[in-house]
Amino acid sequence: MIESMKTVYQGGVGEIIEKKSRFLATVSIIHSEEEAIAFIERMKKKYWDATHNCSAYVLGERNELMRCSDDGEPQGTAGRPMLDVLLGEKIHNAAVVVTRYFGGTLLGTGGLVRAYSKAVQAGLEASTIIERKYGMLLEVVTDYNGIGKLQYLFGQEKMPILDAEYTDIVTLKVLIPIHQADHICKAITEATSGRARMRKDEELYYAVLDGRVLIKDELEC
């Protein structure tokens, strides 16, 4: 279990032009090596008329599996630079194919490395990247005297309230990063002078995208 990692929520396509050569970078989320291989094959079929379809992918919470291919470009000028961009951006569980249509002018090894790297960066910029965090869903029960302080606390800590129930008491369900659980529980106790009751509901991965909380199946687009 890793506390947080960046991954692709929705893939995109970026394009750059270098000396009349066209580079298209298509990015996709993957969950297995089979998915990565299938994605690469789809891109090769889609762009069957291209000069090259170079690829790279990373898989696993700690990038346990990494693969790349130059697809006919000089060794080390395409696949490895593409992989280095994914690693440098700390992206997990993602694959990218850069399709090149040759424009008639040789770029040289240094030019190829720069072009394929820039293409992947353009592909990532065209994609939606999220940070998956491992957290705890905490149920907090308090009286009405404590609700304002708790709302302020969670707002300051940027911790989303998923649900709130108002009866004679207030029950909140809050997502807390797992590594901050002890700190937040202590802060809740101090803010309510010990009146709040807390119960751990479950541990799960979540992300926040444009103010919307993504959990469980919503994380897999």
Side-chain angles (χ1 to χ4, degrees):
M1 183 273 294
I2 192 167
E3 290 180 356
S4 68
M5 67 178 185
K6 290 166 62 179
T7 189
V8 176
Y9 179 68
Q10 188 169 19
V13 181
E15 179 178 352
I16 67 165
I17 304 294
E18 289 288 336
K19 295 183 179 180
K20 298 183 180 179
S21 277
R22 184 184 180 206
F23 295 84
L24 292 169
T26 307
V27 178
S28 176
I29 186 173
I30 56 170
H31 303 95
S32 66
E33 187 168 25
E34 289 75 19
E35 284 189 13
I37 293 170
F39 165 68
I40 293 167
E41 289 304 313
R42 286 198 305 274
M43 293 301 101
K44 287 184 175 181
K45 288 180 180 178
K46 181 177 181 179
Y47 299 111
W48 60 270
D49 58 339
T51 315
H52 304 280
N53 283 290
C54 304
S55 60
Y57 59 90
V58 290
L59 189 65
E61 290 185 347
R62 292 174 175 80
N63 296 329
E64 292 87 351
L65 183 62
M66 299 181 287
R67 296 282 188 272
C68 61
S69 168
D70 295 313
D71 193 40
E73 292 281 30
Q75 185 176 1
T77 61
R80 184 66 217 193
M82 292 166 58
L83 183 62
D84 286 343
V85 173
L86 294 178
L87 295 174
E89 295 294 331
K90 299 181 180 179
I91 304 293
H92 299 255
N93 297 343
V96 58
V97 173
V98 175
T99 301
R100 181 190 183 189
Y101 288 93
F102 182 57
T105 302
L106 295 175
L107 300 182
T109 56
L112 287 172
V113 169
R114 287 189 294 272
Y116 278 100
S117 299
K118 284 172 61 179
V120 175
Q121 289 166 349
L124 292 176
E125 288 171 5
S127 304
T128 302
I129 307 298
I130 58 174
E131 183 177 6
R132 287 166 49 109
K133 297 180 180 180
Y134 193 69
M136 179 175 73
L137 190 57
L138 184 70
E139 183 180 89
V140 183
V141 179
T142 185
D143 55 31
Y144 280 84
N145 292 326
I147 185 61
K149 294 177 181 179
L150 291 182
Q151 288 173 331
Y152 177 79
L153 170 65
F154 298 140
Q156 287 292 104
E157 298 286 348
K158 294 182 172 57
M159 294 177 179
I161 299 173
L162 293 192
D163 191 28
E165 182 180 343
Y166 296 87
T167 56
D168 55 324
I169 55 175
V170 182
T171 303
L172 306 175
K173 288 193 175 181
V174 188
L175 269 174
I176 297 174
I178 200 72
H179 68 281
Q180 291 184 263
D182 291 343
H183 161 68
I184 293 300
C185 288
K186 182 179 179 181
I188 290 171
T189 299
E190 291 176 352
T192 62
S193 300
R195 294 192 300 274
R197 303 193 307 276
M198 290 165 275
R199 181 180 69 85
K200 184 177 80 170
D201 195 331
E202 62 177 313
E203 295 182 5
L204 73 171
Y205 278 107
Y206 73 97
V208 179
L209 176 63
D210 297 330
R212 184 164 65 99
V213 180
L214 308 173
I215 58 173
K216 298 180 180 178
D217 291 344
E218 294 177 308
L219 282 175
E220 313 298 341
C221 185

